[in-house]
């Protein structure tokens, strides 16, 4: 494979270039200071509001976050000099906001758990990013990943629980620790699809399926299209997990489009999705409830649509600059710390804060696509595209849902929502992006490390 | 300073930090783009080569039973389009070739080959090209029944 050869040559040059710069640039240090500064302010606010004075004990999360961000940055700088330097600060900023919101919105045990997950997530991030080999191992064992994911999923079908007692049983629990396999499954699916589509792309030399004069989608693409569609339906029906089903299928379509460049597949996929949505609306109460609550929440504002109405009120009372952290009433929204954390930000940080979150996520996603464009190996390109699409769709679905622009589906806001499985998975995805960006050869030279030669 | 004023100050400071952070992110991205733009020659410079010196060549090595081409070597002034339509830079007279079949372009100091959604596909050393791929000296590009060897101009390769 020639691209690999080229990548190899340039990688060495790039590594040499960067290794000579042992001190990171000033803007980068400023970027790394951002999450710390922000969370110091946030926890001062919380301490002042709740205790009336600034207690040193309230700053433990700041220390944990600082350890994760600065430790991670140091390790990456040391062992992966050509990595994308915006990913970690952006993720750190969102995670800092997340810790502050968990502390604000949920009981203190939740904050401790979230901190443990953040440390574990940083470890996983570094592990994935610094694996010295190429990501071929990830590509080679694609069916292992797929079946591991499916096995996890079917385990939840049998043994699933819900920590809060009611609702969709999506968690696996043991000894008070809960894990939501569908979060990890999203990532496993992206890995599998990147590998599968990359291989099929090559198998499709000059073969073309035709019926008479018309070209039809090739079975190699149509097969998985139908399979994924069916799979999403199963998730929707058995697990009643609307958000996950939507994400699985949306990410699949995005990757299929990235691999083939043919909008026809996307069109077929969207039609299938629309059909499934219409049927689901008729058949399943929980889907109909969401759609009706979206269409007209005001008729049952204190009943079944209480949550979404409270979310809208939270945004409204936030105004431009918000009420200030700890000084609004976001806890009026049920499960505000996971699905509705964006509404809490809208209330206490206002439009300014909510827009900043949107911009952070948009920048993160644009970095993912940037990395995909710079990557040399098709598998890496597809993987980065899939990760970007996953972050993007997930953020969009929940932010638009809390704003009542689309019907609400419960997914987490990456890095910000409370939830260990989600945080861990998001961190692993950042780790993969870092790995790809650090091994992309010319990209390190090209994007700012200086053009030596 | 009363508690109220402290909280107000912290509230404004929090928003200020969020946007200061964004400003630094934009600064970093802008610097990256600027250094990339500096590495990439502007229009008209075409990698420091005079415009009338081709940056590379394509030499036809096999054409199956396609009609004979008038010439069997094509100078490349990237971006170069290949196809059957006469508005292409390299016109290939073969029924298996799409009207606008493929594109060869230079990005920074590398050559890239991209398929333009052709019906019968483009091959690089026998493997299908579905996303843009890097070209190296001596690569064999297959389009329809034709095969062409890609040759870099020596100077173009060593401008660094």
């Amino acid at each position: 494979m020639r691209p690999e050869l080229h990548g190899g040559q340039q990688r060495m040059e790039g590594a040499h270039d960067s290794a000579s710069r042992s001190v990171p640039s000033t803007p980068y240090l400023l970027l790394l200071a951002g999450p710390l500064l922000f969370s110091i302010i946030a926890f001062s606010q919380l301490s002042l509001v709740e205790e009336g004075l600034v207690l040193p004990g309230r700053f433990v999360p700041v220390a944990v976050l600082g350890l994760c961000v600065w430790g991670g940055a140091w390790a990456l700088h040391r062992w992966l000099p050509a990595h994308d330097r915006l990913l970690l600060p952006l993720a750190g900023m969102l995670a800092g906001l997340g810790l502050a919101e968990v502390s604000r919105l949920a009981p203190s045990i939740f904050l401790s758990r979230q901190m443990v997950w953040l440390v574990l997530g940083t470890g996983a991030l570094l592990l994935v990013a610094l694996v010295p080999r190429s990501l071929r191992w990830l590509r080679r064992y694609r069916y292992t990943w797929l079946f591991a994911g499916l096995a996890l999923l079917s385990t939840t079908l049998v043994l699933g629980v819900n920590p809060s007692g009611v609702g969709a049983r999506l968690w696996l629990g043991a000894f008070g620790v809960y894990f939501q396999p569908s979060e990890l499954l999203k990532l496993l699916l992206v890995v599998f699809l990147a590998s599968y589509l990359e291989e099929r792309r090559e198998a499709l030399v000059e073969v073309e399926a035709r019926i008479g004069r018309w070209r039809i989608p090739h079975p190699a693409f149509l097969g998985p299209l139908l399979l994924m569609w069916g799979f999403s339906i199963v998730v929707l029906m058995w697990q009643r997990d609307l958000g996950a089903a939507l994400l699985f299928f949306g990410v699949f379509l995005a990757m299929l489009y990235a691999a083939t460049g043919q909008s026809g597949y996307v069109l077929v996929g969207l039609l299938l999705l629309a059909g499934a949505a219409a049927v689901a609306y008729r058949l399943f109460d929980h889907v109909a409830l969401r759609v009706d609550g979206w269409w007209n929440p005001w008729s049952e504002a204190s009943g079944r649509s209480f949550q979404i109405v409270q979310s809208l009120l939270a945004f409204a009372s936030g105004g431009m600059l918000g009420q200030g952290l700890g000084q609004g009433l976001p806890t009026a929204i049920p499960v505000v710390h996971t699905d509705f954390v964006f509404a809490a930000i809208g209330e206490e940080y206002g439009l300014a804060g909510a827009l900043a979150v949107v911009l952070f996520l948009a920048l993160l996603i644009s970095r993912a696509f940037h990395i995909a464009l710079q990557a040399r190996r098709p598998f890496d390109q597809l993987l980065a595209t899939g990760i970007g699409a996953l972050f993007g769709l997930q953020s969009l679905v929940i932010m638009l849902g809390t704003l009542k622009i689309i019907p609400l589906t419960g997914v987490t806001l990456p890095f910000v929502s409370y939830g260990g499985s989600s945080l861990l998975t998001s961190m692993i995805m950042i780790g993969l992006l870092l790995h790809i960006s650090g091994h992309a050869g010319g990209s390190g030279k090209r994007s700012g490390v200086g053009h030596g030669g | 300073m009363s508690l109220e004023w402290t909280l107000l100050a912290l509230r404004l400071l929090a928003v200020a930090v969020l946007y200061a952070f964004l400003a630094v992110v934009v600064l970093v991205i802008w610097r990256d783009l600027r250094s990339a733009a500096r590495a990439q020659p502007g229009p008209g410079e075409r990698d420091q080569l005079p415009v009338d010196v081709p940056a590379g060549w394509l030499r036809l090595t096999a054409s199956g039973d396609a009609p004979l081409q008038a010439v069997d070597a094509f100078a490349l002034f990237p971006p170069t389009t290949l196809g059957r339509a006469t508005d292409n830079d390299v016109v290939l007279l073969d029924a298996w070739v799409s009207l606008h079949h493929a594109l060869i372009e230079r990005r920074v100091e590398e050559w890239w080959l991209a398929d333009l959604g052709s019906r019968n596909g483009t091959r690089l050393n026998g493997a299908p090209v579905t996303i843009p791929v890097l070209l190296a000296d001596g690569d064999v590009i297959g389009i329809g029944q034709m095969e062409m060897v890609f040759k870099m101009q020596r100077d173009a390769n060593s401008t660094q």
Side-chain angles (χ1 to χ4, degrees):
Chain A
M1 288 190 87
R2 177 181 335 280
E4 293 201 359
L5 269 174
H6 268 257
Q9 265 175 11
Q10 303 215 354
R11 178 159 68 241
M12 286 195 291
E13 289 169 27
H16 177 72
D17 275 354
S18 322
S20 59
R21 295 165 51 100
S22 57
V23 181
S25 60
T26 323
Y28 184 49
L29 292 175
L30 280 176
L31 284 180
L32 289 175
L36 277 190
L37 211 58
F38 178 78
S39 51
I40 288 174
I41 296 173
F43 281 96
S44 309
Q45 280 175 299
L46 284 175
S47 183
L48 276 174
V49 170
E50 288 165 20
E51 343 266 357
L53 70 166
V54 180
L55 291 176
R58 292 300 299 260
F59 292 96
V60 174
V62 180
V64 172
L65 182 73
L67 192 74
C68 291
V69 171
W70 285 83
W74 177 80
L76 288 171
H77 188 73
R78 176 85 178 71
W79 287 296
L80 194 68
H83 69 275
D84 188 295
R85 292 164 305 154
L86 292 177
L87 286 174
L88 193 69
L90 281 168
M93 205 70 185
L94 289 165
L97 186 61
L99 284 180
E101 289 295 339
V102 170
S103 174
R104 161 74 180 96
L105 302 167
S108 61
I109 177 75
F110 282 54
L111 180 64
S112 325
R113 278 195 214 148
Q114 190 77 347
M115 285 193 286
V116 171
W117 281 110
L118 184 64
V119 173
L120 288 178
T122 308
L125 179 149
L126 289 177
L127 200 68
V128 172
L130 298 177
V131 165
R133 306 287 297 274
S134 75
L135 293 175
R136 199 173 296 156
W137 56 279
L138 211 54
R139 193 178 85 197
R140 184 173 300 160
Y141 299 111
R142 58 173 165 277
Y143 289 105
T144 313
W145 307 126
L146 181 70
F147 286 115
L150 292 179
L152 270 176
L153 186 72
S154 31
T155 321
T156 29
L157 289 180
V158 184
L159 299 173
V161 289
N162 189 315
S164 55
V166 289
R169 295 185 304 166
L170 307 175
W171 286 263
L172 287 178
F175 313 112
V177 181
Y178 292 98
F179 187 76
Q180 193 174 352
S182 63
E183 292 289 341
L184 191 60
L185 182 60
K186 284 175 208 160
L187 176 59
L188 290 176
L189 210 64
V190 168
V191 171
F192 169 75
L193 284 173
S195 174
Y196 178 86
L197 290 172
E198 189 239 336
E199 192 202 51
R200 283 302 177 277
R201 210 173 44 78
E202 289 185 358
L204 279 175
V205 190
E206 281 143 14
V207 190
E208 191 174 89
R210 277 167 182 276
I211 295 181
R213 281 201 58 200
W214 288 283
R215 295 211 299 170
I216 59 159
H218 193 275
F221 288 135
L222 195 63
L225 184 69
L226 291 170
L227 191 76
M228 282 299 303
W229 180 68
F231 176 70
S232 305
I233 301 262
V234 168
V235 170
L236 180 69
M237 270 172 52
W238 282 0
Q239 292 222 297
R240 325 196 117 218
D241 191 348
L242 194 60
L246 195 66
L247 282 185
F248 287 151
F249 200 66
V251 167
F252 169 69
L253 284 185
M255 292 183 73
L256 193 61
Y257 180 68
T260 63
Q262 296 194 12
S263 42
Y265 294 117
V266 179
L267 202 69
V268 172
L270 289 179
L271 287 176
L272 282 173
L273 190 66
V279 173
Y281 178 70
R282 296 284 161 111
L283 285 185
F284 304 120
D285 287 343
H286 65 289
V287 178
L289 184 76
R290 295 284 173 81
V291 176
D292 293 340
W294 164 69
W295 192 248
N296 182 12
W298 305 103
S299 62
E300 290 189 75
S302 56
R304 295 198 302 182
S305 307
F306 183 71
Q307 206 177 20
I308 185 72
V309 167
Q310 289 303 316
S311 165
L312 291 176
L313 291 178
F315 279 111
S317 65
M320 284 294 290
L321 291 175
Q323 305 273 341
L325 189 63
Q327 296 152 72
L329 285 170
T331 40
I333 312 167
V335 294
V336 63
H337 57 287
T338 58
D339 293 355
F340 279 86
V341 74
F342 190 57
I345 293 168
E347 175 161 5
E348 299 198 328
Y349 284 103
L351 179 66
L355 272 184
V357 171
V358 174
L359 288 173
F360 291 158
L361 287 165
L363 282 166
L364 198 67
I365 294 152
S366 80
R367 287 323 277 183
F369 290 144
H370 177 78
I371 289 167
L373 286 173
Q374 303 266 320
R376 294 303 155 94
R377 300 187 190 86
F379 172 73
D380 291 358
Q381 292 178 325
L382 284 169
L383 188 61
T385 310
I387 290 173
L390 184 52
F391 273 134
L393 276 173
Q394 186 169 341
S395 313
L396 269 182
V397 159
I398 191 61
M399 290 194 295
L400 295 181
T402 49
L403 282 163
K404 200 184 88 71
I405 294 172
I406 59 169
L408 180 75
T409 48
V411 296
T412 54
L413 189 60
F415 300 103
V416 186
S417 290
Y418 170 75
S421 339
S422 167
L423 186 63
L424 184 67
T425 310
S426 300
M427 296 288 263
I428 294 176
M429 294 201 286
I430 294 291
L432 286 171
L433 288 177
L434 285 168
H435 186 283
I436 295 169
S437 70
H439 291 80
S443 76
K445 278 202 307 188
R446 218 172 296 159
S447 51
V449 193
H451 194 82
Chain B
M1 200 161 48
S2 73
L3 185 62
E4 259 173 65
W5 286 103
T6 317
L7 282 175
L8 178 66
L10 284 175
R11 192 173 120 195
L12 297 178
L13 203 58
V15 172
V17 167
L18 285 178
Y19 283 90
F21 179 83
L22 277 170
V24 180
V25 171
V26 170
L27 175 79
V28 169
I29 293 179
W30 182 69
R31 279 193 179 178
D32 282 359
L33 287 177
R34 202 182 47 175
S35 75
R38 207 179 285 144
Q40 192 154 29
E45 291 178 60
R46 229 166 224 173
D47 288 9
Q48 287 94 35
L49 284 176
V51 179
D52 52 341
V53 175
W57 292 87
L58 278 185
R59 206 156 46 74
L60 202 58
T61 52
S63 56
D65 53 5
L68 281 176
Q69 297 278 145
V71 285
D72 66 353
F74 308 98
L76 294 176
F77 295 103
T80 305
T81 56
L82 296 89
R84 191 154 45 83
T86 48
D87 61 349
N88 287 290
D89 298 315
V90 173
V91 181
L92 300 169
L93 304 171
D94 177 2
W96 292 80
V97 177
S98 294
L99 287 175
H100 298 98
H101 197 107
L103 170 73
I104 294 178
E105 57 178 336
R106 284 194 79 166
R107 299 184 200 160
V108 193
E109 271 138 23
E110 297 150 351
W111 292 81
W112 289 80
L113 170 68
D115 185 72
L116 298 177
S118 64
R119 178 148 295 201
N120 297 307
T122 305
R123 301 175 304 281
L124 178 64
N125 301 328
V129 176
T130 48
I131 50 174
V133 287
L134 261 183
L135 280 175
D137 199 43
D139 272 349
V140 179
I141 298 172
I143 289 180
Q145 306 178 64
M146 303 193 178
E147 300 221 312
M148 286 161 280
V149 174
F150 167 73
K151 282 300 207 187
M152 271 187 221
Q153 199 75 7
R154 278 290 148 226
D155 305 354
N157 197 22
S158 55
T159 42
Q160 265 191 276

